[in-house]
Amino acid sequence: DRLGAGDATVAAAAAEAAAARDAAAAPGVERDPLTALARLRSAEHALDAALAPRREAEAARARALARLPEVTATVRATADLVEGLLAAHRTDIGSTARTRLAEGRRHADAGAALAGGDPVAALREAERALELVTAARDAAERDVAAERDRRRRESAARADAAVRRLGGWGGSGGWGGGGIVLGGGGGRSSSSRRSSSSSRRSSSSASRRSSSPRRSGGRRGGGGRF
């Protein structure tokens, strides 16, 4: 009565089971108890077979009612995570993550609408929603990581280019190398001028020293002639 209400197969099996039960309890059954027992067993098996799908459905409903809150909460948390990624990296995330997120939310809404009347169907929708929002999360994280790697490569390339430009200036003598060469050349020129000046002073001193004896000798010579 609880599981098979409205099911014609269950109703027929239940009627046969009731008849077998009544026959087994009727007066005179003791004359053929084996026949009565066989009829009871047959009726029981038929009733179990008729009720099996209903029992399975009832067990599935119980499992769905137990699992549905957990799946729904996971869907909600994952969808919120994807929304946060979209807000923080709006220009970095492509259409795949957005499409999967929208589909997941649609299935989640369908599951919520079915939860009261058909928890099994609601669980199916929630599990599909979980698959989609998980795919959306994975796609969003891949896009963010790819964009981060691209920017890192571009930054490294700009740094390398700057280093090459600086190296080119120093080698050409325009800024770094040229300054050093000019400064070094100026230093050498100044040193050369100082050396030349010193040489001239030394030559002048030598000339004066050499001229002094000649002048003295001339005076001595003159005195002798006098």
Side-chain angles (χ1 to χ4, degrees), residues 112-153:
L114 293 169
D118 191 349
V120 175
L123 180 61
R124 284 196 298 268
E125 292 289 343
E127 288 175 338
R128 178 56 179 160
L130 181 58
E131 292 176 1
L132 289 166
V133 297
T134 301
R137 180 201 63 195
D138 293 343
E141 290 177 345
R142 284 195 303 269
D143 290 345
V144 170
E147 182 62 19
R148 185 183 300 115
D149 290 343
R150 185 188 67 80
R151 291 175 180 173
R152 187 182 298 114
R153 289 193 300 270

PDB file of all heavy atoms in Angstrom, residues 112-153:
ATOM      1  N   ALA A 112      17.413  22.907  -8.365  1.00  0.00           N
ATOM      2  CA  ALA A 112      16.730  23.508  -7.219  1.00  0.00           C
ATOM      3  C   ALA A 112      15.219  23.463  -7.387  1.00  0.00           C
ATOM      4  O   ALA A 112      14.474  23.250  -6.418  1.00  0.00           O
ATOM      5  CB  ALA A 112      17.205  24.946  -7.043  1.00  0.00           C
ATOM      6  N   ALA A 113      14.751  23.641  -8.630  1.00  0.00           N
ATOM      7  CA  ALA A 113      13.315  23.595  -8.874  1.00  0.00           C
ATOM      8  C   ALA A 113      12.736  22.193  -8.707  1.00  0.00           C
ATOM      9  O   ALA A 113      11.557  22.029  -8.358  1.00  0.00           O
ATOM     10  CB  ALA A 113      13.021  24.117 -10.281  1.00  0.00           C
ATOM     11  N   LEU A 114      13.552  21.162  -8.930  1.00  0.00           N
ATOM     12  CA  LEU A 114      13.084  19.774  -8.836  1.00  0.00           C
ATOM     13  C   LEU A 114      13.273  19.159  -7.458  1.00  0.00           C
ATOM     14  O   LEU A 114      12.764  18.057  -7.201  1.00  0.00           O
ATOM     15  CB  LEU A 114      13.833  18.909  -9.863  1.00  0.00           C
ATOM     16  CG  LEU A 114      13.549  19.178 -11.333  1.00  0.00           C
ATOM     17  CD1 LEU A 114      14.560  18.431 -12.206  1.00  0.00           C
ATOM     18  CD2 LEU A 114      12.129  18.754 -11.689  1.00  0.00           C
ATOM     19  N   ALA A 115      14.005  19.818  -6.590  1.00  0.00           N
ATOM     20  CA  ALA A 115      14.398  19.201  -5.322  1.00  0.00           C
ATOM     21  C   ALA A 115      13.212  18.761  -4.487  1.00  0.00           C
ATOM     22  O   ALA A 115      13.250  17.699  -3.839  1.00  0.00           O
ATOM     23  CB  ALA A 115      15.272  20.167  -4.531  1.00  0.00           C
ATOM     24  N   GLY A 116      12.125  19.523  -4.471  1.00  0.00           N
ATOM     25  CA  GLY A 116      10.993  19.169  -3.629  1.00  0.00           C
ATOM     26  C   GLY A 116      10.210  17.968  -4.124  1.00  0.00           C
ATOM     27  O   GLY A 116       9.804  17.110  -3.331  1.00  0.00           O
ATOM     28  N   GLY A 117      10.005  17.845  -5.433  1.00  0.00           N
ATOM     29  CA  GLY A 117       9.172  16.770  -5.953  1.00  0.00           C
ATOM     30  C   GLY A 117       9.930  15.558  -6.437  1.00  0.00           C
ATOM     31  O   GLY A 117       9.438  14.428  -6.345  1.00  0.00           O
ATOM     32  N   ASP A 118      11.134  15.747  -6.978  1.00  0.00           N
ATOM     33  CA  ASP A 118      11.894  14.628  -7.540  1.00  0.00           C
ATOM     34  C   ASP A 118      13.372  14.817  -7.195  1.00  0.00           C
ATOM     35  O   ASP A 118      14.156  15.314  -8.003  1.00  0.00           O
ATOM     36  CB  ASP A 118      11.704  14.572  -9.062  1.00  0.00           C
ATOM     37  CG  ASP A 118      12.257  13.288  -9.663  1.00  0.00           C
ATOM     38  OD1 ASP A 118      12.960  12.551  -8.951  1.00  0.00           O
ATOM     39  OD2 ASP A 118      11.999  13.049 -10.865  1.00  0.00           O
ATOM     40  N   PRO A 119      13.756  14.412  -6.015  1.00  0.00           N
ATOM     41  CA  PRO A 119      15.145  14.623  -5.603  1.00  0.00           C
ATOM     42  C   PRO A 119      16.155  13.876  -6.454  1.00  0.00           C
ATOM     43  O   PRO A 119      17.297  14.317  -6.583  1.00  0.00           O
ATOM     44  CB  PRO A 119      15.164  14.153  -4.149  1.00  0.00           C
ATOM     45  CG  PRO A 119      13.991  13.258  -4.002  1.00  0.00           C
ATOM     46  CD  PRO A 119      12.960  13.779  -4.949  1.00  0.00           C
ATOM     47  N   VAL A 120      15.751  12.756  -7.041  1.00  0.00           N
ATOM     48  CA  VAL A 120      16.681  12.015  -7.902  1.00  0.00           C
ATOM     49  C   VAL A 120      17.019  12.839  -9.138  1.00  0.00           C
ATOM     50  O   VAL A 120      18.190  12.984  -9.526  1.00  0.00           O
ATOM     51  CB  VAL A 120      16.086  10.652  -8.289  1.00  0.00           C
ATOM     52  CG1 VAL A 120      17.003   9.937  -9.279  1.00  0.00           C
ATOM     53  CG2 VAL A 120      15.882   9.784  -7.046  1.00  0.00           C
ATOM     54  N   ALA A 121      15.997  13.384  -9.791  1.00  0.00           N
ATOM     55  CA  ALA A 121      16.240  14.246 -10.947  1.00  0.00           C
ATOM     56  C   ALA A 121      16.986  15.503 -10.533  1.00  0.00           C
ATOM     57  O   ALA A 121      17.852  16.004 -11.261  1.00  0.00           O
ATOM     58  CB  ALA A 121      14.919  14.605 -11.615  1.00  0.00           C
ATOM     59  N   ALA A 122      16.656  16.029  -9.373  1.00  0.00           N
ATOM     60  CA  ALA A 122      17.365  17.218  -8.881  1.00  0.00           C
ATOM     61  C   ALA A 122      18.849  16.926  -8.685  1.00  0.00           C
ATOM     62  O   ALA A 122      19.705  17.769  -8.999  1.00  0.00           O
ATOM     63  CB  ALA A 122      16.742  17.684  -7.576  1.00  0.00           C
ATOM     64  N   LEU A 123      19.175  15.730  -8.176  1.00  0.00           N
ATOM     65  CA  LEU A 123      20.574  15.366  -7.990  1.00  0.00           C
ATOM     66  C   LEU A 123      21.291  15.249  -9.324  1.00  0.00           C
ATOM     67  O   LEU A 123      22.451  15.658  -9.453  1.00  0.00           O
ATOM     68  CB  LEU A 123      20.669  14.061  -7.208  1.00  0.00           C
ATOM     69  CG  LEU A 123      22.096  13.554  -6.944  1.00  0.00           C
ATOM     70  CD1 LEU A 123      22.873  14.568  -6.116  1.00  0.00           C
ATOM     71  CD2 LEU A 123      22.054  12.198  -6.239  1.00  0.00           C
ATOM     72  N   ARG A 124      20.606  14.686 -10.327  1.00  0.00           N
ATOM     73  CA  ARG A 124      21.223  14.602 -11.651  1.00  0.00           C
ATOM     74  C   ARG A 124      21.574  15.999 -12.177  1.00  0.00           C
ATOM     75  O   ARG A 124      22.653  16.215 -12.737  1.00  0.00           O
ATOM     76  CB  ARG A 124      20.298  13.877 -12.630  1.00  0.00           C
ATOM     77  CG  ARG A 124      20.251  12.374 -12.445  1.00  0.00           C
ATOM     78  CD  ARG A 124      19.647  11.704 -13.669  1.00  0.00           C
ATOM     79  NE  ARG A 124      18.276  12.128 -13.898  1.00  0.00           N
ATOM     80  CZ  ARG A 124      17.198  11.491 -13.423  1.00  0.00           C
ATOM     81  NH1 ARG A 124      17.352  10.402 -12.674  1.00  0.00           N
ATOM     82  NH2 ARG A 124      15.978  11.921 -13.693  1.00  0.00           N
ATOM     83  N   GLU A 125      20.669  16.920 -12.022  1.00  0.00           N
ATOM     84  CA  GLU A 125      20.929  18.286 -12.482  1.00  0.00           C
ATOM     85  C   GLU A 125      22.075  18.923 -11.678  1.00  0.00           C
ATOM     86  O   GLU A 125      22.939  19.612 -12.246  1.00  0.00           O
ATOM     87  CB  GLU A 125      19.668  19.141 -12.335  1.00  0.00           C
ATOM     88  CG  GLU A 125      18.541  18.744 -13.272  1.00  0.00           C
ATOM     89  CD  GLU A 125      18.838  19.099 -14.715  1.00  0.00           C
ATOM     90  OE1 GLU A 125      19.737  19.922 -14.963  1.00  0.00           O
ATOM     91  OE2 GLU A 125      18.165  18.550 -15.614  1.00  0.00           O
ATOM     92  N   ALA A 126      22.076  18.694 -10.388  1.00  0.00           N
ATOM     93  CA  ALA A 126      23.133  19.268  -9.555  1.00  0.00           C
ATOM     94  C   ALA A 126      24.498  18.682  -9.904  1.00  0.00           C
ATOM     95  O   ALA A 126      25.515  19.401  -9.933  1.00  0.00           O
ATOM     96  CB  ALA A 126      22.817  19.032  -8.081  1.00  0.00           C
ATOM     97  N   GLU A 127      24.549  17.379 -10.167  1.00  0.00           N
ATOM     98  CA  GLU A 127      25.822  16.755 -10.527  1.00  0.00           C
ATOM     99  C   GLU A 127      26.312  17.259 -11.884  1.00  0.00           C
ATOM    100  O   GLU A 127      27.512  17.466 -12.089  1.00  0.00           O
ATOM    101  CB  GLU A 127      25.675  15.235 -10.537  1.00  0.00           C
ATOM    102  CG  GLU A 127      25.548  14.652  -9.127  1.00  0.00           C
ATOM    103  CD  GLU A 127      25.289  13.159  -9.133  1.00  0.00           C
ATOM    104  OE1 GLU A 127      24.803  12.655 -10.177  1.00  0.00           O
ATOM    105  OE2 GLU A 127      25.562  12.505  -8.109  1.00  0.00           O
ATOM    106  N   ARG A 128      25.376  17.467 -12.819  1.00  0.00           N
ATOM    107  CA  ARG A 128      25.767  18.046 -14.111  1.00  0.00           C
ATOM    108  C   ARG A 128      26.255  19.484 -13.911  1.00  0.00           C
ATOM    109  O   ARG A 128      27.239  19.904 -14.539  1.00  0.00           O
ATOM    110  CB  ARG A 128      24.579  18.007 -15.064  1.00  0.00           C
ATOM    111  CG  ARG A 128      24.860  18.624 -16.433  1.00  0.00           C
ATOM    112  CD  ARG A 128      26.034  17.970 -17.094  1.00  0.00           C
ATOM    113  NE  ARG A 128      26.298  18.526 -18.411  1.00  0.00           N
ATOM    114  CZ  ARG A 128      27.455  18.428 -19.036  1.00  0.00           C
ATOM    115  NH1 ARG A 128      28.479  17.792 -18.460  1.00  0.00           N
ATOM    116  NH2 ARG A 128      27.621  18.954 -20.236  1.00  0.00           N
ATOM    117  N   ALA A 129      25.588  20.219 -13.061  1.00  0.00           N
ATOM    118  CA  ALA A 129      26.029  21.586 -12.764  1.00  0.00           C
ATOM    119  C   ALA A 129      27.438  21.579 -12.174  1.00  0.00           C
ATOM    120  O   ALA A 129      28.268  22.436 -12.509  1.00  0.00           O
ATOM    121  CB  ALA A 129      25.055  22.249 -11.804  1.00  0.00           C
ATOM    122  N   LEU A 130      27.717  20.609 -11.299  1.00  0.00           N
ATOM    123  CA  LEU A 130      29.042  20.529 -10.689  1.00  0.00           C
ATOM    124  C   LEU A 130      30.115  20.251 -11.746  1.00  0.00           C
ATOM    125  O   LEU A 130      31.202  20.841 -11.711  1.00  0.00           O
ATOM    126  CB  LEU A 130      29.056  19.443  -9.620  1.00  0.00           C
ATOM    127  CG  LEU A 130      30.380  19.252  -8.876  1.00  0.00           C
ATOM    128  CD1 LEU A 130      30.816  20.547  -8.208  1.00  0.00           C
ATOM    129  CD2 LEU A 130      30.252  18.129  -7.855  1.00  0.00           C
ATOM    130  N   GLU A 131      29.825  19.373 -12.685  1.00  0.00           N
ATOM    131  CA  GLU A 131      30.774  19.105 -13.766  1.00  0.00           C
ATOM    132  C   GLU A 131      31.077  20.375 -14.553  1.00  0.00           C
ATOM    133  O   GLU A 131      32.236  20.663 -14.887  1.00  0.00           O
ATOM    134  CB  GLU A 131      30.210  18.036 -14.704  1.00  0.00           C
ATOM    135  CG  GLU A 131      30.095  16.648 -14.089  1.00  0.00           C
ATOM    136  CD  GLU A 131      29.436  15.666 -15.038  1.00  0.00           C
ATOM    137  OE1 GLU A 131      29.092  16.075 -16.182  1.00  0.00           O
ATOM    138  OE2 GLU A 131      29.256  14.498 -14.657  1.00  0.00           O
ATOM    139  N   LEU A 132      30.041  21.151 -14.848  1.00  0.00           N
ATOM    140  CA  LEU A 132      30.217  22.337 -15.673  1.00  0.00           C
ATOM    141  C   LEU A 132      30.961  23.449 -14.942  1.00  0.00           C
ATOM    142  O   LEU A 132      31.862  24.090 -15.513  1.00  0.00           O
ATOM    143  CB  LEU A 132      28.856  22.837 -16.149  1.00  0.00           C
ATOM    144  CG  LEU A 132      28.172  21.941 -17.192  1.00  0.00           C
ATOM    145  CD1 LEU A 132      26.704  22.309 -17.344  1.00  0.00           C
ATOM    146  CD2 LEU A 132      28.889  22.047 -18.534  1.00  0.00           C
ATOM    147  N   VAL A 133      30.608  23.706 -13.702  1.00  0.00           N
ATOM    148  CA  VAL A 133      31.301  24.783 -12.992  1.00  0.00           C
ATOM    149  C   VAL A 133      32.747  24.390 -12.680  1.00  0.00           C
ATOM    150  O   VAL A 133      33.634  25.255 -12.617  1.00  0.00           O
ATOM    151  CB  VAL A 133      30.544  25.192 -11.711  1.00  0.00           C
ATOM    152  CG1 VAL A 133      29.173  25.756 -12.050  1.00  0.00           C
ATOM    153  CG2 VAL A 133      30.444  24.044 -10.726  1.00  0.00           C
ATOM    154  N   THR A 134      32.990  23.091 -12.489  1.00  0.00           N
ATOM    155  CA  THR A 134      34.373  22.642 -12.308  1.00  0.00           C
ATOM    156  C   THR A 134      35.174  22.856 -13.582  1.00  0.00           C
ATOM    157  O   THR A 134      36.334  23.301 -13.535  1.00  0.00           O
ATOM    158  CB  THR A 134      34.404  21.161 -11.897  1.00  0.00           C
ATOM    159  OG1 THR A 134      33.685  20.985 -10.675  1.00  0.00           O
ATOM    160  CG2 THR A 134      35.831  20.682 -11.702  1.00  0.00           C
ATOM    161  N   ALA A 135      34.562  22.540 -14.727  1.00  0.00           N
ATOM    162  CA  ALA A 135      35.230  22.806 -16.005  1.00  0.00           C
ATOM    163  C   ALA A 135      35.461  24.296 -16.197  1.00  0.00           C
ATOM    164  O   ALA A 135      36.498  24.718 -16.730  1.00  0.00           O
ATOM    165  CB  ALA A 135      34.396  22.247 -17.154  1.00  0.00           C
ATOM    166  N   ALA A 136      34.503  25.118 -15.769  1.00  0.00           N
ATOM    167  CA  ALA A 136      34.677  26.570 -15.859  1.00  0.00           C
ATOM    168  C   ALA A 136      35.844  27.033 -14.991  1.00  0.00           C
ATOM    169  O   ALA A 136      36.647  27.885 -15.400  1.00  0.00           O
ATOM    170  CB  ALA A 136      33.394  27.277 -15.431  1.00  0.00           C
ATOM    171  N   ARG A 137      35.939  26.494 -13.792  1.00  0.00           N
ATOM    172  CA  ARG A 137      37.053  26.865 -12.913  1.00  0.00           C
ATOM    173  C   ARG A 137      38.392  26.487 -13.532  1.00  0.00           C
ATOM    174  O   ARG A 137      39.343  27.278 -13.542  1.00  0.00           O
ATOM    175  CB  ARG A 137      36.890  26.169 -11.564  1.00  0.00           C
ATOM    176  CG  ARG A 137      37.991  26.476 -10.564  1.00  0.00           C
ATOM    177  CD  ARG A 137      38.061  25.403  -9.505  1.00  0.00           C
ATOM    178  NE  ARG A 137      38.409  24.112 -10.086  1.00  0.00           N
ATOM    179  CZ  ARG A 137      38.256  22.947  -9.461  1.00  0.00           C
ATOM    180  NH1 ARG A 137      37.747  22.907  -8.247  1.00  0.00           N
ATOM    181  NH2 ARG A 137      38.611  21.823 -10.058  1.00  0.00           N
ATOM    182  N   ASP A 138      38.482  25.258 -14.072  1.00  0.00           N
ATOM    183  CA  ASP A 138      39.736  24.811 -14.676  1.00  0.00           C
ATOM    184  C   ASP A 138      40.111  25.688 -15.868  1.00  0.00           C
ATOM    185  O   ASP A 138      41.284  26.059 -16.032  1.00  0.00           O
ATOM    186  CB  ASP A 138      39.601  23.354 -15.120  1.00  0.00           C
ATOM    187  CG  ASP A 138      39.440  22.404 -13.935  1.00  0.00           C
ATOM    188  OD1 ASP A 138      39.750  22.817 -12.799  1.00  0.00           O
ATOM    189  OD2 ASP A 138      39.003  21.249 -14.156  1.00  0.00           O
ATOM    190  N   ALA A 139      39.135  26.026 -16.701  1.00  0.00           N
ATOM    191  CA  ALA A 139      39.420  26.875 -17.860  1.00  0.00           C
ATOM    192  C   ALA A 139      39.872  28.263 -17.423  1.00  0.00           C
ATOM    193  O   ALA A 139      40.814  28.837 -17.993  1.00  0.00           O
ATOM    194  CB  ALA A 139      38.178  26.976 -18.744  1.00  0.00           C
ATOM    195  N   ALA A 140      39.221  28.818 -16.415  1.00  0.00           N
ATOM    196  CA  ALA A 140      39.599  30.148 -15.930  1.00  0.00           C
ATOM    197  C   ALA A 140      41.013  30.136 -15.357  1.00  0.00           C
ATOM    198  O   ALA A 140      41.813  31.045 -15.621  1.00  0.00           O
ATOM    199  CB  ALA A 140      38.602  30.619 -14.878  1.00  0.00           C
ATOM    200  N   GLU A 141      41.342  29.126 -14.578  1.00  0.00           N
ATOM    201  CA  GLU A 141      42.678  29.056 -13.988  1.00  0.00           C
ATOM    202  C   GLU A 141      43.734  28.861 -15.071  1.00  0.00           C
ATOM    203  O   GLU A 141      44.842  29.426 -14.979  1.00  0.00           O
ATOM    204  CB  GLU A 141      42.737  27.920 -12.963  1.00  0.00           C
ATOM    205  CG  GLU A 141      41.930  28.209 -11.698  1.00  0.00           C
ATOM    206  CD  GLU A 141      41.938  27.050 -10.726  1.00  0.00           C
ATOM    207  OE1 GLU A 141      42.323  25.935 -11.146  1.00  0.00           O
ATOM    208  OE2 GLU A 141      41.543  27.239  -9.565  1.00  0.00           O
ATOM    209  N   ARG A 142      43.430  28.078 -16.109  1.00  0.00           N
ATOM    210  CA  ARG A 142      44.381  27.924 -17.217  1.00  0.00           C
ATOM    211  C   ARG A 142      44.606  29.253 -17.924  1.00  0.00           C
ATOM    212  O   ARG A 142      45.743  29.604 -18.269  1.00  0.00           O
ATOM    213  CB  ARG A 142      43.877  26.874 -18.203  1.00  0.00           C
ATOM    214  CG  ARG A 142      44.050  25.447 -17.744  1.00  0.00           C
ATOM    215  CD  ARG A 142      43.867  24.480 -18.909  1.00  0.00           C
ATOM    216  NE  ARG A 142      42.575  24.629 -19.546  1.00  0.00           N
ATOM    217  CZ  ARG A 142      41.492  23.949 -19.203  1.00  0.00           C
ATOM    218  NH1 ARG A 142      41.549  23.083 -18.197  1.00  0.00           N
ATOM    219  NH2 ARG A 142      40.345  24.125 -19.847  1.00  0.00           N
ATOM    220  N   ASP A 143      43.534  29.983 -18.166  1.00  0.00           N
ATOM    221  CA  ASP A 143      43.664  31.272 -18.846  1.00  0.00           C
ATOM    222  C   ASP A 143      44.483  32.256 -18.020  1.00  0.00           C
ATOM    223  O   ASP A 143      45.325  32.980 -18.558  1.00  0.00           O
ATOM    224  CB  ASP A 143      42.273  31.855 -19.127  1.00  0.00           C
ATOM    225  CG  ASP A 143      41.527  31.084 -20.204  1.00  0.00           C
ATOM    226  OD1 ASP A 143      42.171  30.298 -20.913  1.00  0.00           O
ATOM    227  OD2 ASP A 143      40.303  31.277 -20.319  1.00  0.00           O
ATOM    228  N   VAL A 144      44.237  32.302 -16.729  1.00  0.00           N
ATOM    229  CA  VAL A 144      44.985  33.220 -15.862  1.00  0.00           C
ATOM    230  C   VAL A 144      46.465  32.838 -15.847  1.00  0.00           C
ATOM    231  O   VAL A 144      47.355  33.701 -15.941  1.00  0.00           O
ATOM    232  CB  VAL A 144      44.404  33.207 -14.442  1.00  0.00           C
ATOM    233  CG1 VAL A 144      45.307  33.970 -13.477  1.00  0.00           C
ATOM    234  CG2 VAL A 144      43.014  33.821 -14.440  1.00  0.00           C
ATOM    235  N   ALA A 145      46.760  31.544 -15.741  1.00  0.00           N
ATOM    236  CA  ALA A 145      48.154  31.104 -15.722  1.00  0.00           C
ATOM    237  C   ALA A 145      48.837  31.392 -17.055  1.00  0.00           C
ATOM    238  O   ALA A 145      49.999  31.820 -17.082  1.00  0.00           O
ATOM    239  CB  ALA A 145      48.219  29.606 -15.414  1.00  0.00           C
ATOM    240  N   ALA A 146      48.126  31.182 -18.159  1.00  0.00           N
ATOM    241  CA  ALA A 146      48.710  31.452 -19.475  1.00  0.00           C
ATOM    242  C   ALA A 146      49.016  32.931 -19.650  1.00  0.00           C
ATOM    243  O   ALA A 146      50.062  33.312 -20.188  1.00  0.00           O
ATOM    244  CB  ALA A 146      47.762  30.973 -20.577  1.00  0.00           C
ATOM    245  N   GLU A 147      48.109  33.787 -19.204  1.00  0.00           N
ATOM    246  CA  GLU A 147      48.339  35.227 -19.316  1.00  0.00           C
ATOM    247  C   GLU A 147      49.500  35.661 -18.424  1.00  0.00           C
ATOM    248  O   GLU A 147      50.306  36.516 -18.801  1.00  0.00           O
ATOM    249  CB  GLU A 147      47.070  35.984 -18.923  1.00  0.00           C
ATOM    250  CG  GLU A 147      47.177  37.490 -19.042  1.00  0.00           C
ATOM    251  CD  GLU A 147      47.433  37.974 -20.447  1.00  0.00           C
ATOM    252  OE1 GLU A 147      47.179  37.209 -21.396  1.00  0.00           O
ATOM    253  OE2 GLU A 147      47.899  39.119 -20.604  1.00  0.00           O
ATOM    254  N   ARG A 148      49.605  35.073 -17.242  1.00  0.00           N
ATOM    255  CA  ARG A 148      50.716  35.407 -16.350  1.00  0.00           C
ATOM    256  C   ARG A 148      52.046  35.009 -16.980  1.00  0.00           C
ATOM    257  O   ARG A 148      53.021  35.768 -16.942  1.00  0.00           O
ATOM    258  CB  ARG A 148      50.525  34.698 -15.006  1.00  0.00           C
ATOM    259  CG  ARG A 148      51.576  35.074 -13.977  1.00  0.00           C
ATOM    260  CD  ARG A 148      51.395  34.301 -12.687  1.00  0.00           C
ATOM    261  NE  ARG A 148      50.096  34.556 -12.092  1.00  0.00           N
ATOM    262  CZ  ARG A 148      49.132  33.653 -11.941  1.00  0.00           C
ATOM    263  NH1 ARG A 148      49.338  32.404 -12.352  1.00  0.00           N
ATOM    264  NH2 ARG A 148      47.984  33.968 -11.383  1.00  0.00           N
ATOM    265  N   ASP A 149      52.079  33.823 -17.601  1.00  0.00           N
ATOM    266  CA  ASP A 149      53.309  33.381 -18.264  1.00  0.00           C
ATOM    267  C   ASP A 149      53.644  34.290 -19.448  1.00  0.00           C
ATOM    268  O   ASP A 149      54.813  34.605 -19.689  1.00  0.00           O
ATOM    269  CB  ASP A 149      53.151  31.939 -18.744  1.00  0.00           C
ATOM    270  CG  ASP A 149      53.114  30.954 -17.594  1.00  0.00           C
ATOM    271  OD1 ASP A 149      53.532  31.330 -16.479  1.00  0.00           O
ATOM    272  OD2 ASP A 149      52.652  29.816 -17.794  1.00  0.00           O
ATOM    273  N   ARG A 150      52.625  34.704 -20.190  1.00  0.00           N
ATOM    274  CA  ARG A 150      52.870  35.573 -21.344  1.00  0.00           C
ATOM    275  C   ARG A 150      53.475  36.899 -20.890  1.00  0.00           C
ATOM    276  O   ARG A 150      54.435  37.397 -21.477  1.00  0.00           O
ATOM    277  CB  ARG A 150      51.570  35.815 -22.107  1.00  0.00           C
ATOM    278  CG  ARG A 150      51.740  36.619 -23.390  1.00  0.00           C
ATOM    279  CD  ARG A 150      50.394  36.981 -23.980  1.00  0.00           C
ATOM    280  NE  ARG A 150      49.668  37.912 -23.133  1.00  0.00           N
ATOM    281  CZ  ARG A 150      49.917  39.215 -23.116  1.00  0.00           C
ATOM    282  NH1 ARG A 150      50.866  39.746 -23.859  1.00  0.00           N
ATOM    283  NH2 ARG A 150      49.206  40.006 -22.335  1.00  0.00           N
ATOM    284  N   ARG A 151      52.923  37.475 -19.839  1.00  0.00           N
ATOM    285  CA  ARG A 151      53.451  38.740 -19.341  1.00  0.00           C
ATOM    286  C   ARG A 151      54.860  38.580 -18.802  1.00  0.00           C
ATOM    287  O   ARG A 151      55.701  39.466 -18.962  1.00  0.00           O
ATOM    288  CB  ARG A 151      52.530  39.288 -18.261  1.00  0.00           C
ATOM    289  CG  ARG A 151      51.173  39.745 -18.804  1.00  0.00           C
ATOM    290  CD  ARG A 151      50.244  40.168 -17.687  1.00  0.00           C
ATOM    291  NE  ARG A 151      48.951  40.593 -18.214  1.00  0.00           N
ATOM    292  CZ  ARG A 151      47.903  40.890 -17.461  1.00  0.00           C
ATOM    293  NH1 ARG A 151      47.996  40.808 -16.144  1.00  0.00           N
ATOM    294  NH2 ARG A 151      46.762  41.258 -18.011  1.00  0.00           N
ATOM    295  N   ARG A 152      55.128  37.444 -18.167  1.00  0.00           N
ATOM    296  CA  ARG A 152      56.475  37.211 -17.656  1.00  0.00           C
ATOM    297  C   ARG A 152      57.472  37.116 -18.809  1.00  0.00           C
ATOM    298  O   ARG A 152      58.580  37.673 -18.743  1.00  0.00           O
ATOM    299  CB  ARG A 152      56.498  35.930 -16.814  1.00  0.00           C
ATOM    300  CG  ARG A 152      57.820  35.695 -16.111  1.00  0.00           C
ATOM    301  CD  ARG A 152      57.809  34.405 -15.324  1.00  0.00           C
ATOM    302  NE  ARG A 152      56.807  34.434 -14.271  1.00  0.00           N
ATOM    303  CZ  ARG A 152      55.734  33.671 -14.223  1.00  0.00           C
ATOM    304  NH1 ARG A 152      55.516  32.791 -15.199  1.00  0.00           N
ATOM    305  NH2 ARG A 152      54.872  33.756 -13.233  1.00  0.00           N
ATOM    306  N   ARG A 153      57.082  36.424 -19.878  1.00  0.00           N
ATOM    307  CA  ARG A 153      57.978  36.322 -21.036  1.00  0.00           C
ATOM    308  C   ARG A 153      58.202  37.683 -21.683  1.00  0.00           C
ATOM    309  O   ARG A 153      59.320  38.020 -22.090  1.00  0.00           O
ATOM    310  CB  ARG A 153      57.397  35.334 -22.048  1.00  0.00           C
ATOM    311  CG  ARG A 153      57.456  33.882 -21.604  1.00  0.00           C
ATOM    312  CD  ARG A 153      57.162  32.957 -22.754  1.00  0.00           C
ATOM    313  NE  ARG A 153      55.848  33.178 -23.320  1.00  0.00           N
ATOM    314  CZ  ARG A 153      54.754  32.554 -22.921  1.00  0.00           C
ATOM    315  NH1 ARG A 153      54.828  31.670 -21.939  1.00  0.00           N
ATOM    316  NH2 ARG A 153      53.582  32.785 -23.488  1.00  0.00           N
TER     317      ARG A 153
END
